[in-house]
Amino acid sequence: MNEIQTAIVPEGCPAQRLDVFLAALIEGSSRSAAQRIIRNGLATVNGKVAKSKDAVQAGDIVAFTAPDAVTPTAQPEDLPLEILFEDDSLLVVNKGQGMTTHPAPGSPGGTLVNALLGRGVSLSEGGSALRPGIVHRLDKDTSGLLVVAKNASAHIFLARQLADRTLSRRYITIIWGVPRWLHARVDAPIGRHATNRQKMSVVPMGEGRASITDLDVLEPLGAFALVRARLQSGRTHQIRVHAAYSGHPVLGDRLYGGERRGQVKLLPPEASEAIARLPGQALHAAHLAFVHPVSNERMSFTSAPPAEFLSVLSALGSGFTVDSLLDAVRAEPSSESVLTSASGR
């Protein structure tokens, strides 16, 4: 039997069911696995044995024992990697599309963490044995910028910026359809999908975590639109879930309705062929800014999207060059912009 583990429900976390909280807390777990732990009397809230349906809220102390938990470690691998910046405290990496950020049960290799360890990089142990140095993540088929911590003090400093939203992350994406709005805020809680454990979904308040995404249309492109997405929170699949919820899923997103092969075939050949070459969703983390943990200097990085993304833009008749696109990503939103709710409901 493994040791009892404890966690304090963080400030700002909405009230939610215990099984939902445990499933999100335990690495590689699911809601059904969390329910087994609770059903076997292996979870308490504030010292009292609890049930799956019991609510937990900010400040509650949750203790649990996960009998099936394992503690594998990430192994070094010789993998290609693009590092934009590195010093004794951190690295900024441009992750390629198709690379997972860190190992997980069932997928132990081929990740960004394996690649960094393969280069002999020392990483913070502030995450876990499978997530050393990882301050924030990108989905496997989302390309772009990540900051990785080399030591504990840098990890804490960067994680604090992530929590208070001063670590800025901006993405560019191509979505289906041209929205009725130019600027929109999707403010909708995200939790694990009720039946498909690979998916996240917008859920009722109290069953998920508060999630906010600001969306700005940069350019209409016929049946599509080029959009800048600005994260105000960082949930799993957040942009993809919120885009689909707004009625405009990310192009190429197989999980959230953005693949639409039948509709792609109806497009002009140049566009349909360019879209067919996309290896995943058209979503790229193009801009990253944060305060350095040692120098206190505000650092800013931009990254051009992959060639396949740019080919789709060209085939759809975009007027952006790479340089002008990155300028648009860096630009602050207009003070006259009125953010409205974007909802598919």
Side-chain angles (χ1 to χ4, degrees):
M1 186 70 70
N2 289 338
E3 293 182 0
I4 296 175
Q5 303 176 55
T6 60
I8 299 175
V9 182
E11 290 297 324
C13 183
Q16 59 190 284
R17 288 172 54 113
L18 175 60
D19 56 354
V20 173
F21 177 77
L22 270 188
L25 179 68
I26 302 172
E27 184 75 31
S29 185
S30 65
R31 191 166 175 180
S32 60
Q35 289 170 345
R36 284 195 298 272
I37 292 171
I38 298 166
R39 190 164 54 245
N40 290 330
L42 300 176
T44 64
V45 177
N46 299 325
K48 296 181 180 180
V49 176
K51 297 180 180 179
S52 292
K53 65 180 181 180
D54 290 345
V56 295
Q57 56 190 352
D60 284 345
I61 300 174
V62 177
F64 64 95
T65 303
D68 299 325
V70 294
T71 54
T73 57
Q75 300 300 315
E77 294 184 48
D78 184 12
L79 300 169
L81 199 61
E82 183 182 359
I83 297 175
L84 302 187
F85 176 85
E86 180 177 8
D87 65 9
D88 292 339
S89 298
L90 56 86
L91 308 98
V92 174
V93 181
N94 191 31
K95 186 187 80 68
Q97 196 165 25
M99 174 178 273
T100 303
T101 300
H102 61 77
S107 55
T111 75
L112 173 69
V113 165
N114 297 112
L116 289 170
L117 294 175
R119 290 173 173 248
V121 176
S122 176
L123 299 175
S124 161
E125 297 178 0
S128 71
L130 293 178
R131 296 166 54 182
I134 299 302
V135 178
H136 61 112
R137 293 176 285 181
L138 292 177
D139 299 336
K140 178 180 178 181
D141 287 330
T142 298
S143 55
L145 298 171
L146 283 162
V147 59
V148 181
K150 283 190 168 184
N151 54 60
S153 60
H155 201 135
I156 292 169
F157 192 91
L158 292 166
R160 187 176 297 123
Q161 292 180 66
L162 188 66
D164 64 20
R165 302 178 185 177
T166 56
L167 191 154
S168 174
R169 292 167 293 163
R170 298 182 180 183
Y171 296 68
I172 48 174
T173 183
I174 303 169
I175 61 172
W176 278 95
V178 178
R180 295 188 299 272
W181 36 264
L182 290 179
H183 313 281
R185 168 164 286 180
V186 184
D187 185 350
I190 291 176
R192 188 68 60 178
H193 193 278
T195 58
N196 185 342
R197 304 307 296 174
Q198 292 183 324
K199 294 179 66 174
M200 307 299 288
S201 64
V202 169
V203 297
M205 188 66 68
E207 295 184 16
R209 303 178 69 186
S211 308
I212 300 174
T213 308
D214 288 332
L215 302 172
D216 306 300
V217 175
L218 299 179
E219 184 181 28
L221 296 167
F224 306 92
L226 176 64
V227 168
R228 176 179 62 180
R230 294 173 285 130
L231 289 178
Q232 303 299 334
S233 55
R235 313 303 179 210
T236 301
H237 301 175
Q238 179 172 320
I239 294 172
R240 299 163 62 192
V241 171
H242 276 173
Y245 179 70
S246 75
H248 301 280
V250 172
L251 173 64
D253 191 341
R254 299 176 179 89
L255 197 57
Y256 295 103
E259 193 169 25
R260 301 188 180 185
R261 293 182 181 179
Q263 290 176 256
V264 169
K265 291 180 180 179
L266 299 177
L267 297 171
E270 184 181 1
S272 62
E273 290 168 8
I275 290 171
R277 290 193 293 269
L278 281 173
Q281 62 263 5
L283 180 61
H284 177 71
H287 178 74
L288 179 67
F290 55 87
V291 175
H292 192 278
V294 176
S295 69
N296 284 318
E297 174 190 0
R298 183 74 176 173
M299 306 188 75
S300 178
F301 300 88
T302 53
S303 162
E308 295 86 356
F309 188 116
L310 294 173
S311 292
V312 172
L313 285 184
S314 176
L316 295 177
S318 173
F320 277 103
T321 65
V322 172
D323 288 342
S324 63
L325 179 58
L326 295 182
D327 286 342
V329 171
R330 283 188 290 259
E332 293 301 320
S334 170
S335 59
E336 298 178 356
S337 301
V338 177
L339 295 176
T340 58
S341 175
S343 170
R345 298 294 186 269

